[in-house]
Amino acid sequence: MSEPGSSPDERGVNQNGDPGGKLSVSGSTHTPAESPETRLLSAFKTDGHARKVYLAGREYYSEEGKTFVLRLVGKIKQQLSSDPTLRPEYPPSLGLTEFTRRATEAALGRSSHAVMENRVFGVQTPGFTAAVRLGAELLKHCFDDSATWCGPVYLSSPCDDSLAGIFQAAGIQDIRKYYYWDDRRRGVCLEKLLQDLERAPEQSVVVLSASGHYPTGADLSQHQWSVITQLITRRRLFPFLLLPAQALCYGDLERDGWPVQYCASQGMELLCAQSFSHCFGLYGEAVGHLLCVSKQSSLRLSVQSQADKTVRSLWAEPSAQGAACCRHSALQPGPSGRMGGRREAHCGEMHADQIHPERKAEAFGDSRVLGPPDAAAWTLLLYGLEWSTGRISVNMETHLSAPRRLSKHQCNQRS
């Protein structure tokens, strides 16, 4: 777009005689910064080491090096493809009703007072990132009635590098960090975290990982959640919870979702971004969900209306197949915290049952890398898809030269 007050001569003329110069979209010389994952993959491909191992893969691989397909998911897909009653049609803009209901129950439980009081609604999204983006849009339009809200948003340090960009894409530029991981303690530093949030202005949004914190794998304890929620309520902050892999962290649907249930039980309004892609192995069929809990049922309809308007401008409607697969797997906890109504465990729980034994073997399998067992025990306190190994380059060189075979799954865990 041309600058105000400029003439065609000032802008330049292309070969066809049309105004050129700044009108060219492809003429920009600005090169976007590479993501850490892109840089790491590039370094991996150019590395000539014979026993190199890529530690940043997102997919779950079998011992044969193939993407792992859960038996239950494969069975459900076959049933859906052969069901003569199903017809191709666009899903509602806010997603499949049954899926959003079960995703809400997975996070809040069946007996949530917020659900009974009609203060909750959910929106199916095309993946976890889209759920965060929709939440950011709703905060901008609905958080402050007097004006368009523009921040600040507090993210943990460290956190997923893409989070800041998602909020900025929604027009929220004031992004700040709060202290989370302490390298010396190898865990969460609650004291410094509370100090940072104590200084946060009122109506600040605090993004908190409900389980499986990225990239450390270190989660808040129930006591720490209690202390933090008291501060959030007293300082009039707003919690935005992240639940990217429910049941993959602790192997228990209820336990992974406990922070969300606890915050809702305290009468807090909140947003929660969920993802079911990793839990079900639906990597190419991004399935996300945004859970919205308001303080009053009268506010639910207005926020839901804004969500519908925003969704229509961003992606119109989500895909149906992945959500249908999740819906048919009875995505809800039973009496013991596992999936109700079926003998099979929830897909995330089945994945977790395979992740945790391998993590234990990785932690204690080579004393030359991490030292004696007591020095490696802290790694078993980390959960989720990512975890901090605490290894430096010299350690990794020793580890890779050791005469033991890494499984395909271990090769695809983040360092």
Side-chain angles (χ1 to χ4, degrees):
M1 186 174 295
S2 62
E3 297 290 336
S6 61
S7 65
D9 292 336
E10 293 172 334
R11 297 192 300 268
V13 179
N14 63 21
Q15 292 180 349
N16 295 325
D18 298 325
K22 294 182 180 179
L23 287 177
S24 174
V25 175
S26 61
S28 173
T29 58
H30 173 69
T31 303
E34 281 187 327
S35 67
E37 289 83 0
T38 302
R39 291 196 300 270
L40 187 59
L41 180 59
S42 177
F44 172 78
K45 290 180 178 179
T46 57
D47 192 331
H49 199 289
R51 302 192 67 186
K52 62 183 180 181
V53 177
Y54 187 56
L55 299 174
R58 292 177 178 268
E59 295 83 7
Y60 185 100
Y61 285 94
S62 66
E63 289 291 339
E64 292 74 30
K66 299 179 180 180
T67 305
F68 191 84
V69 179
L70 290 165
R71 187 183 309 167
L72 177 60
V73 173
K75 182 178 179 181
I76 292 173
K77 284 186 174 183
Q78 288 182 347
Q79 291 175 348
L80 292 175
S81 63
S82 60
D83 189 345
T85 64
L86 294 179
R87 294 289 184 269
E89 57 185 10
Y90 288 115
S93 59
L94 298 184
L96 300 179
T97 303
E98 184 65 14
F99 167 78
T100 59
R101 183 182 70 82
R102 294 195 174 186
T104 298
E105 288 183 355
L108 293 177
R110 296 180 180 179
S111 58
S112 171
H113 288 291
V115 174
M116 296 178 181
E117 295 167 0
N118 204 26
R119 296 188 287 111
V120 179
F121 76 92
V123 181
Q124 179 192 340
T125 63
F128 181 73
T129 300
V132 178
R133 173 62 186 274
L134 178 59
E137 294 283 351
L138 293 180
L139 287 171
K140 186 177 66 174
H141 290 97
C142 303
F143 189 26
D144 188 355
D145 294 334
S146 60
T148 300
W149 182 84
C150 57
V153 171
Y154 280 80
L155 305 177
S156 67
S157 178
C159 69
D160 189 333
D161 293 332
S162 66
L163 282 177
I166 297 172
F167 283 96
Q168 289 169 344
I172 303 172
Q173 303 301 323
D174 190 354
I175 309 296
R176 308 180 189 182
K177 293 290 185 72
Y178 64 86
Y179 201 94
Y180 189 85
W181 172 263
D182 191 309
D183 283 325
R184 190 164 47 85
R185 297 184 183 180
R186 292 176 176 176
V188 179
C189 183
L190 181 63
E191 297 82 5
K192 293 184 179 180
L193 185 155
L194 295 175
Q195 289 174 10
D196 288 343
L197 296 188
E198 193 71 53
R199 292 191 289 263
E202 288 189 359
Q203 292 192 325
S204 297
V205 170
V206 182
V207 179
L208 294 161
S209 174
S211 62
H213 178 266
Y214 177 91
T216 67
D219 289 335
L220 299 169
S221 67
Q222 292 190 2
H223 170 70
Q224 290 172 329
W225 272 107
S226 175
V227 175
I228 291 173
T229 52
Q230 289 177 25
L231 185 149
I232 287 176
T233 302
R234 177 172 52 81
R235 295 285 300 130
R236 296 184 62 197
L237 309 179
F238 187 95
F240 194 139
L241 308 183
L242 306 180
L243 194 57
Q246 189 173 359
L248 265 182
C249 301
Y250 297 97
D252 189 314
L253 203 65
E254 285 263 356
R255 186 176 177 185
D256 279 3
W258 181 88
V260 186
Q261 298 174 23
Y262 177 75
C263 290
S265 69
Q266 301 302 302
M268 303 172 69
E269 56 182 349
L270 61 89
L271 294 175
C272 178
Q274 301 169 260
S275 174
F276 301 99
S277 300
H278 284 292
C279 301
F280 291 88
L282 301 171
Y283 305 117
E285 306 166 30
V287 184
H289 184 259
L290 180 68
L291 175 68
C292 308
V293 180
S294 59
K295 279 192 173 182
Q296 302 173 358
S297 59
S298 59
L299 301 175
R300 183 182 65 86
L301 290 179
S302 62
V303 179
Q304 190 171 1
S305 176
Q306 180 61 48
D308 183 67
K309 180 180 178 181
T310 303
V311 164
R312 292 179 186 276
S313 66
L314 290 177
W315 55 76
E317 64 274 321
S319 61
Q321 184 174 2
C325 184
C326 296
R327 178 191 65 187
H328 281 78
S329 69
L331 200 163
Q332 51 196 1
S336 62
R338 302 184 78 87
M339 188 181 71
R342 295 177 183 265
R343 292 184 178 180
E344 302 97 325
H346 177 269
C347 294
E349 293 164 354
M350 290 190 285
H351 267 169
D353 289 342
Q354 294 169 319
I355 289 175
H356 294 163
E358 291 192 2
R359 177 170 294 178
K360 184 175 182 179
E362 178 76 358
F364 294 104
D366 196 337
S367 60
R368 292 178 298 169
V369 178
L370 291 177
D374 289 345
W378 65 275
T379 61
L380 299 184
L381 300 177
L382 309 179
Y383 294 88
L385 300 176
E386 293 79 29
W387 61 300
S388 175
T389 63
R391 294 171 181 167
I392 59 176
S393 56
V394 176
N395 297 143
M396 290 305 296
E397 183 69 25
T398 303
H399 186 55
L400 293 178
S401 62
R404 60 185 289 268
R405 178 176 174 271
L406 292 176
S407 70
K408 299 293 183 181
H409 170 63
Q410 290 170 319
C411 293
N412 285 279
Q413 289 301 294
R414 292 180 185 269
S415 176

